[in-house]
Amino acid sequence: MNPFTPLRRHLTPTQINIYFSIVCFFSPPVLGSLVSFVFNGGALWSVFLLAFGRRRLSIDRPMLAMTVAIYAYCAAIVLASIVNGTLAADLRLFLPLLTFLFFPISYSTWSITEKIVLARIAVLASAAACFGALLLAVIQYYWIGARAEGGAGNAIVFATVTCLAVTMSLAGALSGIEKRWKLLSLAALAGTLAVLFSGSRIIWLALLLSGLMVLLINRRGLSGPKLTRLALITGAACLLLAAIAFPVIADRADFLFSDLDALATKNDHTTAIGLRVAMWEIGAKAFHDAPIFGHGISGSRALMKQGFHDQFGMDAGYNHYHNGFLTAAVQAGLLGALALAAIFVVAARNAARVLRLSADPLERFGATMIIVTVITYLIGGLTGILVGHDLLDSTLMVFLVSGTYLACGRMVPPIGKSAAAVPPAASQPS
């Protein structure tokens, strides 16, 4: 008897997908870029499975619309390099686009998982991530004396992915997807504290608006005693958060007003706010010079460095303009900015249609996942990175792929030899 036979029977395609999903939802706040390796590695493996007939490509209208929008953005980035004659210089910089190009492949991979299983994984893994994020945040803030960066290595990125974990915990508790609402409430509270310890002011706003949207989407189930209980819990949580995180909030507010005062009175662009304003001015000028096709990726970085030197007498340079759409506009012109916006517009439209027409809790949960992702990324991208960071790009795809499948997709069981390992009950479309 082959000693690996029991292992092969246990590691069915569905079971592997479960482990894969757990890592994808748990790792962003705690283990950082591991999600990039797992997501892209899983997608690359799925390409081979599709090529050898072990998977079938799952195609439906919402997924197809998302794929067209994502591929249009990637095409705009490549076109900008061709127009500017920087294709050779930009080739290595195109590698992050693979994460986006894997969207339909990953969608097909997740489509072999039962929706209820994927939804519960998203909720529970996100809850675990919230607890892990708080543990890292406490160590980094109190013991190291720095803004919390979690496993991301960057405070804003850490706050962004933790914000998504908080909203998933909250959505799971309010939608009834997971019955352990007390555990999920504690997880949401822990994750919120971690976001506060990050000191990322723009994500504080994103978390507030995302949380309110989750409440709004699930308002039908909040009446009578449930509403009273929610109000009491929310009030107590706010008091606790204010008591614990007040020093962080006060400190970040003081930095904000100090930076604004230095910019207004001394024209000081060396502060955090000043640097952002400088980048926006450099980016606006660069977009004005090439509004249609932009300057290409490497060209936009060179313009940043040159702009700091010529306009502000500073030796500085970054790979983005601290505004997601401005970065896309400089890199790929109006075509790139509109294509990037289309990704979020199509995603929000898919979610809004489900929320308007469907009463199915799993579909509504998937739509909620999409909506909070769109809110978090768009608000965070106003003063930070929207796309172009490996952790943010992979997390964005994880949430858009799984959210679209839960909201609009159908289960498609594996075929060929893989189908034999799938239990009969799991091979029925849901």
Side-chain angles (χ1 to χ4, degrees):
M1 179 179 177
N2 190 334
F4 294 104
T5 299
L7 180 63
R8 290 178 61 187
R9 288 175 179 172
H10 179 68
L11 291 179
T12 63
T14 302
Q15 196 65 40
I16 292 173
N17 242 27
I18 288 174
Y19 298 141
F20 173 78
S21 302
I22 290 171
V23 175
C24 284
F25 282 100
F26 171 76
S27 61
V30 182
L31 302 174
S33 292
L34 176 65
V35 68
S36 302
F37 293 102
V38 172
F39 177 82
N40 289 300
L44 190 60
W45 178 246
S46 295
V47 170
F48 289 104
L49 292 177
L50 284 166
F52 289 104
R54 302 285 290 274
R55 292 283 190 279
R56 62 184 64 159
L57 195 62
S58 177
I59 300 176
D60 49 58
R61 188 172 296 177
M63 168 269 189
L64 194 58
M66 284 296 303
T67 301
V68 169
I70 290 169
Y71 277 43
Y73 168 70
C74 295
I77 295 292
V78 175
L79 179 61
S81 295
I82 294 174
V83 171
N84 286 279
T86 59
L87 186 61
D90 287 347
L91 276 178
R92 64 180 181 83
L93 302 176
F94 290 155
L95 284 177
L97 296 179
L98 288 175
T99 301
F100 298 101
L101 295 176
F102 282 144
F103 178 87
I105 307 299
S106 299
Y107 185 88
S108 301
T109 297
W110 255 307
S111 294
I112 71 171
T113 305
E114 291 183 83
K115 286 189 175 185
I116 184 60
V117 173
L118 179 57
R120 294 191 68 224
I121 288 173
V123 171
L124 294 176
S126 294
C130 286
F131 289 120
L134 179 60
L135 176 61
L136 292 176
V138 168
I139 293 173
Q140 292 166 345
Y141 184 78
Y142 287 108
W143 290 2
I144 301 176
R147 289 173 61 186
E149 299 179 347
N154 179 289
I156 298 176
V157 175
F158 169 66
T160 301
V161 295
T162 304
C163 176
L164 293 175
V166 171
T167 53
M168 286 299 94
S169 300
L170 186 60
L174 294 177
S175 65
I177 295 294
E178 175 59 47
K179 301 302 181 184
R180 289 171 282 190
W181 64 269
K182 293 180 181 178
L183 173 66
L184 297 178
S185 299
L186 284 175
L189 180 63
T192 301
L193 272 174
V195 172
L196 291 174
F197 282 132
S198 75
S200 302
R201 294 174 296 244
I202 193 67
I203 304 300
W204 295 351
L205 175 62
L207 179 56
L208 175 63
L209 295 180
S210 296
L212 290 175
M213 182 57 68
V214 173
L215 290 173
L216 181 63
I217 291 172
N218 294 280
R219 67 188 183 278
R220 293 177 183 175
L222 301 175
S223 58
K226 287 186 179 180
L227 185 60
T228 303
R229 183 176 62 190
L230 177 64
L232 291 174
I233 293 174
T234 302
C238 289
L239 290 175
L240 181 62
L241 290 171
I244 297 175
F246 177 77
V248 185
I249 298 172
D251 185 54
R252 295 301 292 163
D254 182 63
F255 268 109
L256 174 63
F257 292 123
S258 175
D259 288 0
L260 290 173
D261 180 68
L263 181 64
T265 59
K266 304 175 184 177
N267 199 32
D268 184 0
H269 289 86
T270 62
T271 65
I273 297 297
L275 283 171
R276 282 174 169 80
V277 172
M279 283 186 272
W280 296 339
E281 291 181 9
I282 295 169
K285 182 179 183 303
F287 172 66
H288 181 268
D289 293 342
I292 305 300
F293 296 107
H295 300 272
I297 301 177
S298 57
S300 72
R301 296 180 180 183
L303 286 172
M304 169 84 76
K305 194 171 183 65
Q306 181 183 344
F308 267 113
H309 180 271
D310 295 346
Q311 296 175 232
F312 302 98
M314 298 168 60
D315 184 18
Y318 301 89
N319 58 10
H320 64 93
Y321 287 80
H322 263 283
N323 180 289
F325 289 108
L326 180 59
T327 300
V330 176
Q331 291 178 348
L334 194 60
L335 293 178
L338 290 177
L340 180 59
I343 296 174
F344 295 94
V345 170
V346 171
R349 182 178 177 274
N350 287 340
R353 185 175 185 276
V354 170
L355 293 174
R356 187 175 68 253
L357 300 177
S358 177
D360 183 277
L362 288 173
E363 292 183 354
R364 294 182 66 84
F365 176 80
T368 303
M369 184 184 294
I370 295 172
I371 292 294
V372 298
T373 302
V374 170
I375 292 173
T376 302
Y377 271 78
L378 289 185
I379 293 179
L382 291 176
T383 61
I385 308 171
L386 185 56
V387 296
H389 185 285
D390 67 312
L391 174 52
L392 288 179
D393 292 350
S394 298
T395 303
L396 176 64
M397 288 297 101
V398 167
F399 277 76
L400 288 184
V401 169
S402 53
T404 303
Y405 167 58
L406 289 172
C408 317
R410 60 185 180 85
M411 185 179 175
V412 179
I415 56 178
K417 293 181 180 179
S418 297
V422 179
S427 62
Q428 296 300 320
S430 61

